[in-house]
Amino acid sequence: MIPAGTHRILVVDDDPDICLNLNDILTDRGYQVDVAHNGSSALELVRATPYDVALLDLRMPGMNGLELYREIKKLRAGTVAILVSAYAQGDTTEQALAAGAWRVLSKPLDPAELDRLLCTALDQPHVLVVDDDRDLCANLWELLRERGYRVGMAYDARTATIQIRACRFHVVLIDMKIPNGTGQDVYRAVRHANPEARTLLITGNQCEMAGLVEQVLADGADGVCYKPFDLDELLGKLDRLARARDA
Amino acid sequence: MGPEQLADRYREFQEYVGWTEDDAARVLAIAPLARAQIPALVDDFYEEIERHPNARKVITGGQAQIERLKGTLARWVEELLSGTYDAEYVARRWWVGWRHVEIGLDQAYTNVALSRLRSGLVRAVSQAWQGDAAACELSIRSLNKLLDLDLAIIEDAYQAEYAQRLQRNERLATLGQIAGGVAHELRNPLNVVKTSVYYLLNARNLTPEKKLEHLERIERQVELADKVIQSLSSFARMPIPNLVPFDASALIHETLASAPPPESVSVSIRFDPEFPETLGDPGQLQIVFSNLIRNACDAMPDGGRLEIAGRYEGDCVRIALTDSGVGIPSELLPKILEPLFSTKARGLGLGLAIARSILEKNEGSLQVESIPGTGSTFTVRLKAVTVSEPAR
């Protein structure tokens, strides 16, 4: 089980002093903080730990902050990225936002504002999308990010299970037919690791999967949406499930 | 250009086209014939402009402005026919050119508009001429010379204004570059200072050790910020070097000792046995070598070799620093000695520009060769102290 309430923040900046400061400030606020001074060591940390938020300096030697975020997103799509720039030139900000970064802040950072932003980011419901259709995942990622969800992605049952054990998701969207297992395995992993999480089945093949879907629903899954999605219906159900946790 | 210079320039042009007092007298003689046609010529001038959107667009004040402009043009033709071509006349001509570039009129339009006016004047004079055709021909030739002189002065004004405009734009671009570089280099230390202050003010658990640590960090970063300003201002006004004979090899060793390269970089130094004393300001040249060595090390993040070779060549010495680093793409080679150009994440981009500027003031030069993936060679040339020419 994952301890509730500890949020993990990754700070990446080539200036060791600013890393020490952010570590002090964020640790003092009760966050669990890790620090890296360049892209490659940051990625090592990301491989080992799912961070809730990554605070990335834009201009660094070697891999810059935006390149780093693109790599982080491949590994941990659910990590919310805040990029920090001393002097955003031209369309850097637009590029960063287009790549999926949540905010671009300028130096010198206002720590009080950072604190507020972190609260907002961490307050976003965390959704895991489990589907082997990568295009669909990418679309849902953008759509759900825009609606204020943090969105993790897993393309098969095994990585989904690993993520569910490592991270407290609020809602898990589960495709029934996936590699390395079935949607049912994923559903069971959720029940086991994180019983409070809500589950929504997403399935494309009504006939073939009908039996399995019925079974998982009988076990307690919160709902099902059939592909091709009626997006309003999907988003409506998701909103209700995400809000239910607050109630 | 001041009125005196303008008048001189006009006199030079007059000489060039062979303008004499006779020409002035001839223009004055035909003036009454042309003067009768001025209103018609002025109307024609602005009617033609109406037909050309690129010329018309610079007139933004509507009909009222056109009426004013017609008055100005009529006076301009009157002056042309006045027979007096003094400094004041030239200054007013020059101002006409200046004003046209200021309102954004394409220079070609002043040429074609003047050509049209010229045809009109020539036609008016030829039609009204009552005497012998050869004399008419001569007068018209004088009028043409006068118009060509006007055109030359107007074009001068155009060029002067364009040159100024270009300079203004370049200054603005440089200012933008400096602002960007300074913003980056100062905001990083400010970022540390601001977050340290926040921590000191807001930490729930501030121990005396933490307090000291943050205060020291603030001090360190303030010094870093100050260094940024220092390097900018030292670049802006590098003092005149004091050229003395010195031992270049010893200076290189000192430079390496004061800022040793990382252990992953192996340094070898080879100087010709007959390497003479070098002429230069050792204090300034230490900045050059330290910048070049630091650059070489930065080009070899995973380590490598730095070879420093000193050779004696006639009346000068050549000190080449060759690294086995990443090299410089050929398209960047022309830019890397320019101030404020940098490929690094940190720094203002002044290191090599300072090196070049110092070397030029020390009567030397800096040259770069590079093979991407293999390494770069920066060659410093300085004057040697030769036996025949002892130290100054």
Side-chain angles (χ1 to χ4, degrees), chain A residues 13-15 17-18 20-22 24-25 28-29 57 59-61 84 86-87 107-112 115, chain B residues 180 183-184 187-188 190-192 194-196 198-199 202-205 210 214 217 220-221 344-346:
Chain A
D13 196 306
D14 58 320
D15 181 344
D17 275 349
I18 192 64
L20 288 168
N21 275 6
L22 289 171
D24 280 351
I25 290 171
D28 189 68
R29 304 293 302 178
D57 183 26
R59 190 159 149 184
M60 293 187 288
V84 185
Y87 188 68
K107 295 180 188 180
L109 278 174
D110 177 353
D115 201 36
Chain B
H184 188 264
R187 275 189 186 143
N188 278 308
L190 286 177
N191 197 22
V192 176
K194 184 157 179 166
T195 46
S196 273
Y198 180 88
Y199 181 77
N202 294 289
R204 291 165 186 169
N205 233 328
K210 273 282 167 198
H214 278 270
R217 197 170 292 149
R220 189 162 65 238
Q221 294 286 336
K344 296 177 192 169
R346 288 285 150 91

Side-chain angles (χ1 to χ4, degrees), chain B residues 51-354:
Chain B
R51 283 192 274 276
H52 301 277
N54 281 329
R56 178 66 183 83
K57 71 179 179 199
V58 301
I59 302 174
T60 52
Q63 200 51 41
Q65 189 190 1
I66 291 184
E67 289 311 316
R68 276 199 307 279
L69 289 170
K70 281 184 173 178
T72 312
L73 180 61
R75 273 195 300 286
W76 183 81
V77 182
E78 291 281 1
E79 284 165 14
L80 191 74
L81 302 169
S82 68
T84 311
Y85 309 110
D86 53 10
E88 223 174 284
Y89 173 90
V90 180
R92 280 198 300 274
R93 263 38 193 169
W94 203 79
W95 184 83
V96 168
W98 184 273
R99 177 76 189 128
H100 280 103
V101 72
E102 199 178 44
I103 61 176
L105 181 67
D106 185 338
Q107 189 178 2
Y109 285 103
T110 50
N111 293 0
V112 292
L114 197 64
S115 169
R116 191 174 179 86
L117 197 64
R118 183 198 302 261
S119 309
L121 280 168
V122 169
R123 199 169 44 244
V125 171
S126 320
Q127 280 169 4
W129 188 264
Q130 299 280 324
D132 121 77
C136 177
E137 174 75 10
L138 266 180
S139 298
I140 286 171
R141 211 178 291 164
S142 296
L143 183 64
N144 273 329
K145 274 189 212 166
L146 183 62
L147 283 163
D148 289 336
L149 288 168
D150 260 42
L151 202 55
I153 282 293
I154 290 171
E155 282 194 13
D156 239 22
Y158 254 98
Q159 276 173 24
E161 168 64 11
Y162 267 126
Q164 275 205 4
R165 193 170 280 197
L166 212 63
Q167 246 181 16
R168 272 200 299 273
N169 288 343
E170 270 169 22
R171 270 201 298 270
L172 281 178
T174 309
L175 193 64
Q177 263 180 315
I178 296 173
V182 171
H184 188 264
E185 289 309 291
L186 289 185
R187 275 189 186 143
N188 278 308
L190 286 177
N191 197 22
V192 176
V193 170
K194 184 157 179 166
T195 46
S196 273
V197 169
Y198 180 88
Y199 181 77
L200 290 172
L201 291 175
N202 294 289
R204 291 165 186 169
N205 233 328
L206 184 61
T207 61
E209 293 78 27
K210 273 282 167 198
K211 187 175 168 183
L212 184 64
E213 180 190 321
H214 278 270
L215 287 173
E216 282 173 352
R217 197 170 292 149
I218 290 173
E219 177 159 44
R220 189 162 65 238
Q221 294 286 336
V222 167
E223 269 163 27
L224 273 179
D226 190 49
K227 274 201 188 116
V228 174
I229 311 284
Q230 269 176 25
S231 71
L232 252 184
S233 51
S234 71
F235 178 67
R237 42 184 169 83
M238 180 68 61
I240 294 166
N242 178 26
L243 302 185
V244 293
F246 71 97
D247 179 346
S249 168
L251 184 70
I252 298 247
H253 280 99
E254 264 172 51
T255 310
L256 284 166
S258 68
E263 281 182 7
S264 57
V265 174
S266 68
V267 183
S268 69
I269 305 176
R270 267 183 308 113
F271 271 69
D272 282 350
E274 67 273 25
F275 195 90
E277 282 204 291
T278 307
L279 200 61
D281 185 323
Q284 291 187 2
L285 293 169
Q286 183 157 18
I287 299 175
V288 171
F289 291 120
S290 116
N291 285 357
L292 293 178
I293 290 167
R294 200 180 50 233
N295 256 6
C297 294
D298 286 349
M300 303 183 282
D302 304 320
R305 287 184 323 280
L306 171 60
E307 288 164 18
I308 304 175
R311 305 195 62 173
Y312 179 33
E313 287 184 339
D315 56 354
C316 75
V317 299
R318 203 178 68 176
I319 300 160
L321 293 90
T322 303
D323 65 59
S324 61
V326 292
I328 303 154
S330 56
E331 69 272 16
L332 296 186
L333 271 180
K335 296 187 191 161
I336 60 158
L337 300 184
E338 293 297 320
L340 304 167
F341 178 82
S342 178
T343 59
K344 296 177 192 169
R346 288 285 150 91
L348 273 174
L350 288 180
L352 288 176
I354 287 176

Side-chain angles (χ1 to χ4, degrees), chain A residues 117-161:
Chain A
L117 282 175
L118 287 176
C119 289
T120 309
L122 294 167
D123 202 40
Q124 295 182 331
H126 202 173
V127 177
L128 177 66
V129 180
V130 185
D131 199 311
D132 59 338
D133 181 342
R134 286 169 188 248
D135 288 336
L136 176 73
C137 284
N139 285 349
L140 282 177
W141 193 91
E142 299 218 339
L143 200 71
L144 297 181
R145 277 306 284 144
E146 216 167 85
R147 291 180 70 97
Y149 291 95
R150 286 186 276 158
V151 189
M153 295 191 290
Y155 305 125
D156 68 298
R158 200 182 305 134
T159 44
T161 306

